[in-house]
Amino acid sequence: MKRFVQLYRDLESTTKTNTRIQFLAKYFEESSDEDKLWAIALLTDKRPPKPLQSGVLKAIAAEAAMLSSWLFDETYLVVGDLSETISLLVKQEYEIEDFSLAHWMTEISNLKKKDEEIRIAYVLNAWKGMDVDTKFIFNKLIGGGFRMGVSQQLILKALAIHTNIPQEVLAHRLMGKWSPNDTDFQQLVRSEDQRNDAVPYPFYLAYALEGEVSDLGSLEDWVIEKKWDGIRGQIIKRNGEVFIWSRGEELMTEKIPELHFLKNVEKDFVIDGEIICHDGKEVMPFANLQTRIGRKNLTKKALETSPIAFITYDLLELNGADLRETSLEKRRLELSLLTSEINSEKLILSEEINANSWSEIIEIRSTSRQLKCEGLMLKRRSSAYKVGRKKGDWWKWKLDAMTIDAVMIYAMKGHGRRANLYTDFTFAIWHEGNLLPFTKAYSGLTDAEMKEVDAFVKKNTIDKFGPVRSVIPTLVFEIAFEGIQLSSRHKSGIALRFPRIHRWRKDKLANEANTKEDLLALLNQINPS
Amino acid sequence: MALLKFTSNGIYCEQGDFYIDPWRPVERAVITHAHSDHARWGMKSYLAHPITAAMMRHRIGQNISVDEVSYNNTTFINGVKISLHPAGHIPGSSQVRVEFGGEVWVAAGDYKLDVDGISEPFDPVKCHAFITESTFGLPIYEWKQPAILNQEINDWWDINARAKKTSIIYCYSLGKAQRILNALGDQGKVFVHGAVHQSNEVLASCGLALRESIYLDKNVAPKELEGAMILAPPSTQGSAWTAKFKNLAEANASGWMTLRGARRRMNVEKGLVISDHADWNSLITAVKSTGAEKVIVTHGYTDVFAKYLSENGWNAITEKTEFGEEEV
């Protein structure tokens, strides 16, 4: 496993994407097919079941490290990662043989059939025979998320270098259900199966609009559409089969049975659009889509309460012909014909917004929240469908986030990069003379600010409840968010969508923060009753 | 009888009317070591080890009033017996032993038990009450032997030098920098940032033997830096000063480098786990070796360490100080 541990060390040593790809490619170059297969499986989140629950892991680790459980727990809070905590606390006592990654993984996979005592003995023996880094990796292999900060894209790029197979082809070959126990590396990456029909086109992505909208020239040259807050997706229907991809190149077909009927459509096509939840009358909040997609198993209830539909933006392929070089105008015409021919409430044509002037467009954009969308898309009528994020022809023009000034009242230590710093905060607004907690947020501070706030928390702690510290309400932050809803689950009665720290209002005192009335006013702007 | 109390000005001895490492201006201050969170400006008079005194004159001002006291020599302030004893933290760092009416208290300041090659090694002092730091007071903190660390530094330098890269280690300019400097082999030239250079000069004037190094000023040609080592304070990372150097391999030398999160925050390719503070086991060993019944835990993981000590039979409490905020 030394080579795999080295890969981890290499990946940790740099944040440069290209260097990381090189490290991965080098690992593939130097490893056996069995090890490569397992590395891909682990890095793409396909792992054998955990041999031990984390509660058991904690207990045996504390015992092996000869520490009281409270001391183990306190330390874990500081480290912020169980695998790392154990790797530092359980000391190496001897050295065990350096087996291959595949050897370890096969052993770990076979553990599930064994009694718990045997599993515990196995893990303890491994711990005491490994150095800190190896132990850390081992813990990741037997435990939860194994990230190494490597995205699917990065793995695909490295694998493409190693195999000379295009990334998109690899992407789909690595999709679906497979396990290193029932395939081998060559079979996985080389197999020419029917699934080639599933290969999507790279998405064309828009930049945020720069400057004034009126600088874009004549309004007639532009197609204006609503920018929906869902998941960008691509529907592929080829040879009687349907595939649905997300922009993140995740195959989502299984999760969206609502669209499986498309395989019966006579024509073949590839459509670009937005996956959203739709109740038959209007688009539902993103939260519905999130819970629906986040579920491992699709329940009947989820299908009923959060039905999915697809808003079509563009037509990339029709009956085998690649249309991407033709004009948007032409593609949209074909798209509207196809959509009306299919004639389903699950496939909704993205409407073009008709206006007489840019000022009218500006007016419409400002009502985006009432229109349940997050802004507008501006696309040049003559534009081709390009690859990746390109400037000039397509622009996204989102509504600015809503903001509110709030007081920080609780702080918790973060995880990962923010481990050991107080960076996860609970914020409150004023309500009838008291501070009412209403949201948590953590991103959006610079490293220097993080340090400063961390020092503030340590100096101004009123009380400690486990990992949470309550602090003297002093610091005011501007919280930005994308959506706001009434919620019975929250103490404040309000739920925010995507809250984050926008900036630190050093110029404001705690008593100058906003009130619940201010927040409700924002809510009423969106849903005028 | 409490010989030392924690007040808003600092650690105070009422019987002798003096403070130890005060954080606000007072009449009379006994200083454990020259790091800026312990040796602050504005005191009417100071008492410190000669090396600490020299560093303070350099950092605070030439005209400060300092009584110099060497290790293990006794002096009196208002009838309270005071002596300084090696703390092993940095050159000149001292534990302050205070005795009055048969009661002995020791304020250890910052300390470590590992022998770093430049500081007088920590010398345990028997006392009734021991004031200890707890910067790294968690069982995850366990330092490697200095010899192994020194090897690690030199190996890393070798690899970079072979790739024609310039190595740079970000380290505190007083103490850590000299410790690393003396650990470096003769496989190449060592350049130092101005802050390190000045500390070196003061320490050399006190008779400390330091490895040869070159002050990295504008006259140094870029070509000379190829394969060389640079020692610079942490504040230079990502600054305009560092941006001038091409093809750098960067390391950060600190006990905090134990944790992945901290390594990733620092964004350097190498985290060298080298600390001038006591690790978890050293803290416990130090407390034991003093024979103290009462332990006062200051700056760091105070709650955890005090709770551990209480569980194991000590009378341990925590006190708030303003130490440990400026040092990296």
Side-chain angles (χ1 to χ4, degrees):
Chain A
M1 192 155 66
K2 278 195 181 129
R3 185 62 188 86
F4 194 63
V5 174
Q6 186 56 46
L7 171 66
Y8 152 73
R9 287 199 188 109
D10 288 342
L11 290 173
E12 289 268 290
S13 74
T14 178
T15 50
K16 294 189 184 107
T17 307
N18 277 329
T19 318
R20 292 163 71 88
I21 293 171
Q22 293 305 329
F23 281 136
L24 272 166
K26 193 157 174 272
Y27 175 82
F28 291 136
E29 212 58 54
E30 293 172 8
S31 301
S32 69
D33 276 2
E34 289 81 23
D35 276 13
K36 272 184 263 190
L37 191 65
W38 270 110
I40 295 166
L42 290 164
L43 293 168
T44 55
D45 230 26
K46 293 181 180 66
R47 70 185 70 253
K50 287 184 187 183
L52 294 171
Q53 293 304 313
S54 32
V56 179
L57 277 180
K58 272 196 220 172
I60 62 170
E63 206 186 314
M66 291 178 289
L67 297 174
S68 328
S69 61
W70 72 264
L71 184 51
F72 184 92
D73 290 343
E74 285 284 347
T75 308
Y76 173 34
L77 278 175
V78 170
V79 179
D81 180 297
L82 185 58
S83 296
E84 190 180 2
T85 310
I86 293 172
S87 74
L88 290 164
L89 288 180
V90 180
K91 308 296 177 197
Q92 181 167 14
E93 292 173 13
Y94 42 79
E95 193 142 346
I96 50 175
E97 203 178 324
D98 179 42
F99 293 118
S100 69
L101 177 66
H103 177 103
W104 277 108
M105 291 316 300
T106 309
E107 276 192 6
I108 292 167
S109 310
N110 291 336
L111 275 182
K112 67 171 182 223
K113 297 168 204 143
K114 306 267 167 58
D115 290 342
E116 190 172 58
E117 277 166 53
I118 294 173
R119 283 178 274 147
I120 289 176
Y122 177 85
V123 169
L124 282 173
N125 180 55
W127 280 346
K128 292 182 181 172
M130 291 171 166
D131 63 30
V132 174
D133 282 353
T134 311
K135 208 175 330 183
F136 173 69
I137 296 294
F138 173 78
N139 288 338
K140 289 290 179 190
L141 299 181
I142 63 169
F146 189 86
R147 287 263 151 62
M148 275 196 183
V150 175
S151 68
Q152 173 108 348
Q153 289 291 43
L154 222 65
I155 298 159
L156 289 174
K157 284 201 170 106
L159 208 52
I161 294 173
H162 174 59
T163 58
N164 268 323
I165 299 170
Q167 207 179 311
E168 293 75 21
V169 177
L170 284 171
H172 112 253
R173 286 184 186 163
L174 296 190
M175 284 299 155
K177 279 185 185 160
W178 59 269
S179 150
N181 292 321
D182 51 45
T183 186
D184 66 56
F185 180 73
Q186 296 302 335
Q187 199 183 328
L188 185 71
V189 302
R190 309 266 171 213
S191 67
E192 297 284 338
D193 56 18
Q194 306 86 333
R195 289 203 298 176
N196 265 349
D197 275 344
V199 178
Y201 287 105
F203 284 82
Y204 180 11
L205 306 171
Y207 271 95
L209 180 68
E210 298 159 354
E212 296 301 316
V213 69
S214 49
D215 296 341
L216 293 176
S218 169
L219 178 60
E220 285 136 45
D221 295 339
W222 294 84
V223 174
I224 319 283
E225 304 172 278
K226 288 177 194 164
K227 183 179 185 328
W228 294 102
D229 184 15
I231 298 171
R232 183 87 179 274
Q234 214 175 98
I235 301 178
I236 296 174
K237 191 263 153 179
R238 287 173 185 142
N239 299 321
E241 274 196 283
V242 171
F243 305 93
I244 304 160
W245 292 83
S246 76
R247 203 197 92 189
E249 293 195 26
E250 188 194 347
L251 198 52
M252 300 179 75
T253 321
E254 296 307 315
K255 294 191 166 179
I256 313 178
E258 287 98 332
L259 296 173
H260 290 183
F261 76 95
L262 289 170
K263 66 172 178 259
N264 302 320
V265 173
E266 200 179 316
K267 285 179 175 157
D268 279 357
F269 52 83
V270 178
I271 297 175
D272 175 3
E274 195 92 10
I275 301 162
I276 42 102
C277 279
H278 198 285
D279 63 7
K281 290 202 303 272
E282 60 178 9
V283 173
M284 299 168 85
F286 184 78
N288 287 62
L289 185 60
Q290 210 170 17
T291 49
R292 161 84 190 256
I293 294 297
R295 269 175 221 282
K296 249 202 174 120
N297 300 313
L298 193 50
T299 60
K300 207 173 156 201
K301 185 159 174 273
L303 271 170
E304 274 166 18
T305 55
S306 302
I308 283 182
F310 192 87
I311 299 180
T312 64
Y313 292 146
D314 215 323
L315 183 65
L316 312 186
E317 186 184 292
L318 187 62
N319 293 328
D322 183 350
L323 303 180
R324 292 178 300 159
E325 287 301 316
T326 60
S327 69
L328 174 65
E329 172 119 66
K330 179 128 189 289
R331 296 197 308 272
R332 273 194 66 95
L333 180 66
E334 294 285 356
L335 178 68
S336 67
L337 291 173
L338 180 68
T339 316
S340 57
E341 194 181 308
I342 294 171
N343 189 21
S344 161
E345 57 173 11
K346 293 293 174 193
L347 208 61
I348 306 160
L349 181 70
S350 164
E351 276 174 66
E352 187 175 342
I353 295 173
N354 294 308
N356 295 316
S357 65
W358 283 118
S359 54
E360 221 176 293
I361 292 294
I362 293 168
E363 184 59 33
I364 292 169
R365 169 180 172 262
S366 70
T367 64
S368 293
R369 290 207 174 94
Q370 286 93 305
L371 299 171
K372 314 284 181 206
C373 62
E374 53 176 4
L376 300 180
M377 287 298 302
L378 317 168
K379 298 174 179 172
R380 202 182 290 277
R381 236 169 248 290
S382 59
S383 63
Y385 190 93
K386 297 176 186 170
V387 171
R389 204 176 288 279
K390 296 277 154 49
K391 282 189 182 179
D393 285 342
W394 284 22
W395 299 103
K396 59 180 174 192
W397 196 27
K398 277 168 78 162
L399 207 56
D400 298 330
M402 292 178 265
T403 63
I404 198 142
D405 293 333
V407 187
M408 192 248 285
I409 55 167
Y410 304 124
M412 245 176 96
K413 283 181 179 170
H415 287 262
R417 200 170 162 278
R418 297 188 301 271
N420 206 17
L421 283 181
Y422 284 96
T423 54
D424 295 6
F425 309 121
T426 301
F427 294 93
I429 40 176
W430 293 102
H431 183 54
E432 294 169 350
N434 294 314
L435 280 167
L436 176 69
F438 75 110
T439 191
K440 289 182 178 183
Y442 48 87
S443 60
L445 289 179
T446 64
D447 281 9
E449 284 174 335
M450 262 195 232
K451 259 188 156 170
E452 207 178 323
V453 177
D454 178 68
F456 170 86
V457 170
K458 285 172 183 159
K459 269 195 175 173
N460 293 279
T461 299
I462 304 170
D463 215 341
K464 298 177 187 174
F465 321 92
V468 181
R469 289 186 178 210
S470 68
V471 298
I472 302 169
T474 318
L475 306 187
V476 178
F477 294 86
E478 186 174 321
I479 308 296
F481 50 96
E482 297 301 322
I484 178 168
Q485 264 185 290
L486 287 175
S487 160
S488 53
R489 291 204 338 260
H490 293 74
K491 191 178 167 190
S492 62
I494 292 165
L496 303 184
R497 163 131 160 80
F498 197 31
R500 69 268 184 193
I501 299 169
H502 186 55
R503 64 189 167 127
W504 186 353
R505 294 297 305 256
K506 287 189 174 177
D507 57 325
K508 282 206 168 182
L509 298 172
N511 61 16
E512 294 174 276
N514 283 109
T515 62
K516 186 176 176 184
E517 287 65 45
D518 298 331
L519 203 56
L520 288 172
L522 285 174
L523 183 72
N524 291 331
Q525 269 174 32
I526 302 166
N527 296 314
S529 43
Chain B
M1 179 178 58
L3 262 187
L4 297 173
K5 290 179 189 153
F6 288 77
T7 71
S8 55
N9 289 336
I11 304 172
Y12 181 56
C13 177
E14 197 176 351
Q15 293 84 346
D17 193 21
F18 63 86
Y19 289 84
I20 298 173
D21 294 350
W23 41 85
R24 304 216 204 304
V26 299
E27 291 284 316
R28 183 142 200 126
V30 179
I31 301 297
T32 60
H33 67 286
H35 279 153
S36 54
D37 53 336
H38 289 259
R40 301 185 192 231
W41 65 275
M43 315 300 158
K44 272 256 172 66
S45 76
Y46 295 86
L47 184 150
H49 185 273
I51 295 180
T52 306
M55 277 309 307
M56 285 199 296
R57 284 197 195 92
H58 165 67
R59 293 192 153 186
I60 301 171
Q62 289 300 331
N63 48 10
I64 56 171
S65 148
V66 196
D67 289 334
E68 298 184 15
V69 180
S70 305
Y71 291 136
N72 305 312
N73 285 342
T74 301
T75 179
F76 287 88
I77 301 180
N78 297 326
V80 175
K81 191 171 162 186
I82 296 174
S83 53
L84 302 182
H85 304 267
H89 175 56
I90 60 169
S93 67
S94 309
Q95 309 177 67
V96 181
R97 181 186 185 278
V98 178
E99 181 180 344
F100 185 79
E103 185 88 355
V104 178
W105 286 48
V106 169
D110 291 340
Y111 67 92
K112 72 169 175 289
L113 270 52
D114 292 331
V115 179
D116 64 15
I118 55 161
S119 317
E120 191 77 22
F122 179 88
D123 188 13
V125 180
K126 294 284 171 213
C127 57
H128 298 102
F130 184 59
I131 301 174
T132 177
E133 60 144 322
S134 60
T135 308
F136 291 103
L138 285 177
I140 41 171
Y141 294 110
E142 184 183 15
W143 316 143
K144 292 181 193 153
Q145 292 299 317
I148 295 172
L149 289 174
N150 295 349
Q151 187 64 44
E152 196 179 324
I153 299 170
N154 281 302
D155 288 350
W156 180 71
W157 187 11
D158 281 342
I159 292 168
N160 299 333
R162 257 179 272 138
K164 303 210 186 280
K165 284 185 174 176
T166 306
S167 305
I168 184 165
I169 299 179
Y170 301 109
C171 50
Y172 205 58
S173 61
L174 172 59
K176 190 80 62 73
Q178 291 74 30
R179 172 185 180 181
I180 293 173
L181 178 62
N182 275 14
L184 293 171
D186 47 15
Q187 59 265 60
K189 286 182 186 164
V190 180
F191 294 87
V192 295
H193 179 271
V196 178
H197 177 68
Q198 287 175 7
S199 294
N200 286 356
E201 294 214 311
V202 175
L203 293 174
S205 74
C206 296
L208 221 75
L210 293 175
R211 183 202 187 282
E212 195 189 351
S213 63
I214 306 161
Y215 173 36
L216 183 44
D217 61 9
K218 278 179 282 187
N219 301 325
V220 176
K223 189 89 185 73
E224 283 186 75
L225 293 175
E226 195 181 286
M229 170 68 80
I230 301 174
L231 301 179
S235 57
T236 60
Q237 194 197 346
S239 73
W241 185 81
T242 318
K244 293 178 299 202
F245 312 124
K246 299 287 170 268
N247 212 5
L248 280 183
E250 300 176 290
N252 197 294
S254 159
W256 301 115
M257 293 296 107
T258 302
L259 292 182
R260 272 180 91 210
R263 288 199 296 269
R264 284 153 70 194
R265 264 202 302 281
M266 294 308 294
N267 198 16
V268 289
E269 64 167 71
K270 180 82 178 166
L272 294 165
V273 184
I274 300 178
S275 176
D276 287 326
H277 292 271
D279 64 5
W280 173 256
N281 286 326
S282 296
L283 287 171
I284 297 167
T285 307
V287 167
K288 276 184 189 158
S289 65
T290 63
E293 300 127 31
K294 184 179 174 72
V295 181
I296 299 165
V297 184
T298 67
H299 64 300
Y301 293 102
T302 49
D303 294 348
V304 175
F305 189 48
K307 185 171 174 186
Y308 174 87
L309 291 174
S310 302
E311 263 192 2
N312 288 278
W314 277 278
N315 169 17
I317 57 161
T318 65
E319 288 285 359
K320 255 189 166 173
T321 64
E322 295 189 10
F323 304 141
E325 276 153 32
E326 288 162 54
E327 198 182 335
V328 180

